[in-house]
Amino acid sequence: MIEIAGGVQRAFTCPADLAATRAYFSDFRRVAGLLPHIRLVRAHGADEFRVLYRTLELGLYDVRIYCDLRAQFDPRHSVLRVTAASGYPPVKARVTLTSLTAHGRYQSTSTFLAAGGETQVNYRLTLNARLPKPLGLQLISDRALERIAHSIVMRRIHEIADGFVERSLADFEKKRRRR
């Protein structure tokens, strides 16, 4: 198995007051649709979901990591916390010549702070999983493969965070112009 883990933090300014920003970002279904490489695949309930992280790596390997999570907005502290949800059967790890599938853990925290007529958003996300070793890479040592995988995962996590910030601000502006 290949252990992958990574995280990133971003801070950005939303061009709206705290109330409008909180209202926009507290809807996890909307937020999930703005995350590159991640899509909502199932709602377990009002605030529990299964998401899929999916990328094509090295031009060959279709990597799929499923994560069950709980999204809760804390209005008292202006924080959206996305944590692992338990009680759902994990996706079984599978490997083929061109695909890797596993169950992982996605977590994020978005904190909202009033900054005059704008809102400062502090966003942090982590992703980790244990993936089966690709069949075509059995001769590469686990240590070397984990270094390669870590580099790829960190690049993807940065893409997710940067894309989320970019997409969120663009979508927020688009919705605000419609009003």
Side-chain angles (χ1 to χ4, degrees):
M1 297 295 265
I2 303 166
E3 297 277 342
I4 61 164
V8 68
Q9 291 183 287
R10 292 289 183 266
F12 61 98
T13 302
C14 186
D17 65 20
L18 182 60
T21 302
R22 284 174 35 162
Y24 177 81
F25 284 99
S26 64
D27 179 358
F28 181 76
R29 287 176 190 264
R30 175 182 330 170
V31 170
L34 301 170
L35 295 163
H37 307 300
I38 295 177
R39 69 180 176 93
L40 186 65
V41 293
R42 179 180 304 136
H44 294 304
D47 64 351
E48 293 189 348
F49 308 92
R50 177 166 281 179
V51 296
L52 169 62
Y53 162 90
R54 187 172 187 183
T55 63
L56 182 65
E57 300 301 350
L58 304 173
L60 175 65
Y61 294 105
D62 180 17
V63 177
R64 289 175 250 163
I65 301 172
Y66 291 87
C67 305
D68 293 305
L69 49 90
R70 173 179 290 122
Q72 295 179 307
F73 185 75
D74 176 354
R76 192 166 148 232
H77 295 103
S78 293
V79 177
L80 174 62
R81 287 185 185 88
V82 180
T83 57
S86 59
Y88 302 103
V91 171
K92 291 183 182 177
R94 291 187 305 272
V95 62
T96 70
L97 283 175
T98 60
S99 71
L100 307 168
T101 301
H103 204 85
R105 185 179 181 106
Y106 169 94
Q107 295 184 164
S108 68
T109 304
S110 300
T111 306
F112 308 97
L113 305 164
E118 299 179 324
T119 303
Q120 177 73 32
V121 181
N122 296 312
Y123 174 66
R124 179 175 40 107
L125 84 92
T126 61
L127 177 68
N128 56 60
R130 293 186 66 198
L131 293 166
K133 192 171 183 178
L135 297 175
L137 301 177
Q138 293 296 321
L139 297 178
I140 296 176
S141 75
D142 288 351
R143 175 173 285 217
L145 197 52
E146 282 185 358
R147 279 195 306 267
I148 294 166
H150 179 74
S151 174
I152 292 169
V153 165
M154 288 307 297
R155 186 173 67 245
R156 295 298 184 217
I157 287 174
H158 283 267
E159 288 174 5
I160 292 167
D162 294 339
F164 171 70
V165 170
E166 183 180 312
R167 290 176 178 185
S168 296
L169 292 174
D171 187 63
F172 184 87
E173 281 298 320
K174 185 171 84 175
K175 288 185 182 347
R176 194 160 79 163
R177 279 191 298 255
R178 286 185 193 162
R179 291 181 201 161

